Amino acid sequence: MDYDIADINLAESGKLRIEWANRQMPVLSLIKKRFGEKEPLKGLMIGACLHVTSETANLVRTLKAGGAGVALCASNPLSTQDPVAASLVKDYEIPVFACTGEDNKTYYEHVHKVLDFKPNATMDDGGDLVSTLHSERTELLDGVTAGTEETTTGVIRFKSMERDGVLKYPIIAVNDANTKHFFDNRYGTGQSSIDGFMRATNVLIAGKNFVVGGYGWCGRGTAMRAKGMGANIIIVEVDPLRALEAVMDGYRVMPIAEAAKIGDIFITATGNKNVIRSEHFEAMKDGAIVANTGHFNVELDIPALESLTTQKRKLRDFIEEFTLKNGKRIYLLGEGRLVNLACAEGHPASVMDMSFANQALTAEYIKTDGKNLKIKVHPVPEYIDKEVARLKLESMNIKIDTLTPEQDEYLKSWKAGT
Ligand code: ADE
């Protein structure tokens, strides 16, 4: 079997990590059991470009139990958990192409390795697999039935491809399922970004001016958890509705030019580029810490930071100190890559349980209905979203009410009024 990972000898600890994550993934486990009995994914060859974590390992095991072939590469050069990659290869016979810290060239060589398997379905996180397929491996496009996309950034990219008329097969936006972004993007990013910040720095959050770039679901989650740890939150936004929501959630809202002068900690979560630029770095306090939790490392203008810098040194794992010409020092975490995966382990398994249950059930939907889908970005079918919520509640042993026949009737009628 072809593969490229850091060290196969790490498999033993990787297997234990996968087992530990699996304990927190009851919904995916149920799906895996059913898949194992019926093999509904037989005939699918899935090319997957995902963060290679213990949670992803459990998704891949589920897909394989369902009868699918899977080849996996990383969706970020810093997020691969090498022991997990080793165990996937050794214990689960999955061809994995991912090493933590791989350079850009290797990253794309690994994407190509996955495409060499001639997938008939893709599972992407951020859009690098699909965009490579559409630009450099066009001979494979006819063989692909459909794909899924895990994250906001990828969905935005694919909607642009659809708008420009270049998308060549249907994509299902797993990110947009309610049981994905309400939970993974908010509670997952909220907890794991703070986790990444704390593991990298061990800096006290209480009492700090904590600037969050963007008040989408990831920004909301990050702000909520930092507030819970005693930070004074400042939100920077470009969208008036989101800015208003942030104000009414009790946060200060101001332009980045103002926030830059008073922030102690900055985390961007916008999905856009150059949110923190040259003039903002120059205005920052000596000792400001900057990080990003959006998908790509473009939210902080790192080339601009470099060009303002007279001296740079690695202070400890994941922290680089930039001494600027004006004498102030700025601390950059995890090379500006997503702080939760670069400096910690990403979202906890319990929330990835829902995201990856959506992925697994959507793969089944691609197998049964993929050929009938129009070439565009589609939502996850509502029945899948509802089923994931139902199963998650069941796994938590939480029961809810059902409508009485009278209530049901009332909701359907337009006649009852004042
Ligand atoms: N994205 C964010 N956290 C993740 C995790 N733990 N595994 C896979 N993808 C992720």
Side-chain angles (χ1 to χ4, degrees):
M1 187 178 77
D2 193 16
Y3 63 87
D4 187 19
I5 57 170
D7 183 359
I8 196 82
N9 297 314
L10 300 173
E12 199 178 328
S13 73
K15 189 161 189 241
L16 294 173
R17 290 173 73 136
I18 295 168
E19 183 186 322
W20 173 247
N22 194 47
R23 285 191 64 89
Q24 318 288 329
M25 303 182 88
V27 178
L28 197 62
S29 299
L30 272 178
I31 296 169
K32 179 164 172 277
K33 187 162 177 287
R34 176 171 68 77
F35 276 12
E37 287 154 8
K38 306 228 168 84
E39 297 207 328
L41 307 186
K42 228 182 172 103
L44 276 191
M45 176 63 222
I46 300 173
C49 179
L50 301 166
H51 299 295
V52 181
T53 64
S54 44
E55 293 74 29
T56 299
N58 285 309
L59 169 63
V60 169
R61 290 174 62 212
T62 303
L63 300 171
K64 194 170 173 191
V70 188
L72 175 66
C73 63
S75 58
N76 184 288
L78 288 191
S79 62
T80 298
Q81 296 168 2
D82 290 324
V84 168
S87 175
L88 276 173
V89 169
K90 186 165 179 214
D91 303 311
Y92 301 106
E93 291 172 28
I94 304 286
V96 179
F97 304 90
C99 317
T100 191
E102 62 195 11
D103 60 20
N104 215 47
K105 181 167 162 279
T106 313
Y107 175 84
Y108 277 103
E109 277 167 10
H110 286 162
V111 170
H112 280 281
K113 282 280 187 190
V114 164
L115 293 174
D116 289 344
F117 283 78
K118 300 189 170 58
N120 54 19
T122 57
M123 202 169 263
D124 214 347
D125 185 338
D128 287 343
L129 183 79
V130 173
S131 81
T132 305
L133 185 52
H134 277 70
S135 53
E136 293 170 47
R137 301 296 294 272
T138 49
E139 78 283 3
L140 299 174
L141 281 167
D142 278 349
V144 184
T145 307
T148 65
E149 172 51 50
E150 168 75 8
T151 201
T152 318
T153 294
V155 172
I156 291 170
R157 282 177 97 182
F158 298 152
K159 285 190 174 158
S160 304
M161 289 172 77
E162 178 190 328
R163 191 196 56 222
D164 292 350
V166 297
L167 188 66
K168 296 290 183 220
Y169 62 84
I171 297 281
I172 298 156
V174 166
N175 178 73
D176 295 356
N178 292 324
T179 46
K180 201 280 183 181
H181 67 274
F182 285 160
F183 301 90
D184 168 316
N185 301 27
R186 179 169 36 175
Y187 304 113
T189 307
Q191 178 166 325
S192 61
S193 301
I194 300 295
D195 183 18
F197 174 83
M198 284 168 43
R199 290 197 208 191
T201 65
N202 197 24
V203 157
L204 186 73
I205 291 175
K208 296 290 190 322
N209 285 338
F210 194 112
V211 181
V212 179
Y215 205 59
W217 291 107
C218 296
R220 288 179 181 111
T222 305
M224 175 172 63
R225 292 301 179 238
K227 182 184 178 185
M229 298 198 69
N232 302 307
I233 307 297
I234 297 168
I235 304 293
V236 298
E237 245 304 341
V238 293
D239 180 295
L241 195 70
R242 287 180 171 179
L244 193 58
E245 187 182 344
V247 171
M248 299 220 181
D249 283 347
Y251 302 131
R252 281 188 289 168
V253 174
M254 62 185 76
I256 182 63
E258 294 303 310
K261 294 183 218 158
I262 54 176
D264 300 300
I265 300 164
F266 296 79
I267 298 192
T268 52
T270 68
N272 211 332
K273 68 185 293 195
N274 297 343
V275 177
I276 300 187
R277 301 180 288 277
S278 189
E279 64 272 27
H280 309 131
F281 290 122
E282 274 187 309
M284 282 179 189
K285 296 199 273 191
D286 180 37
I289 302 173
V290 292
N292 162 55
T293 198
H295 186 80
F296 286 121
N297 60 338
V298 295
E299 305 212 12
L300 310 170
D301 188 351
I302 297 170
L305 179 59
E306 301 265 5
S307 67
L308 292 172
T309 296
T310 54
Q311 212 188 329
K312 192 170 112 176
R313 61 179 176 146
K314 181 174 168 183
L315 214 63
R316 56 186 238 166
D317 283 351
F318 311 121
I319 304 186
E320 276 173 299
E321 180 189 68
F322 292 75
T323 304
L324 307 193
K325 290 170 197 154
N326 64 16
K328 292 191 276 191
R329 285 153 299 178
I330 307 284
Y331 296 95
L332 173 69
L333 306 189
E335 300 173 18
R337 296 197 185 271
L338 8 77
V339 68
N340 58 345
L341 281 142
C343 308
E345 294 172 62
H347 304 350
S350 152
V351 85
M352 294 313 294
D353 188 28
M354 288 192 275
S355 310
F356 286 167
N358 274 292
Q359 287 281 11
L361 296 179
T362 303
E364 186 178 27
Y365 174 67
I366 287 177
K367 183 72 194 10
T368 53
D369 293 285
K371 289 218 157 63
N372 307 322
L373 291 173
K374 285 211 181 95
I375 298 179
K376 63 195 245 340
V377 179
H378 294 263
V380 168
E382 199 182 327
Y383 76 87
I384 292 182
D385 212 353
K386 285 251 159 69
E387 178 68 355
V388 173
R390 194 185 66 73
L391 290 173
K392 191 68 179 176
L393 279 173
E394 203 175 286
S395 77
M396 298 163 94
N397 209 10
I398 293 171
K399 299 193 173 41
I400 59 170
D401 292 313
T402 48
L403 293 173
T404 65
E406 183 194 30
Q407 288 171 329
D408 193 34
E409 190 54 39
Y410 179 77
L411 289 179
K412 285 181 188 142
S413 138
W414 52 271
K415 287 188 179 149
T418 314

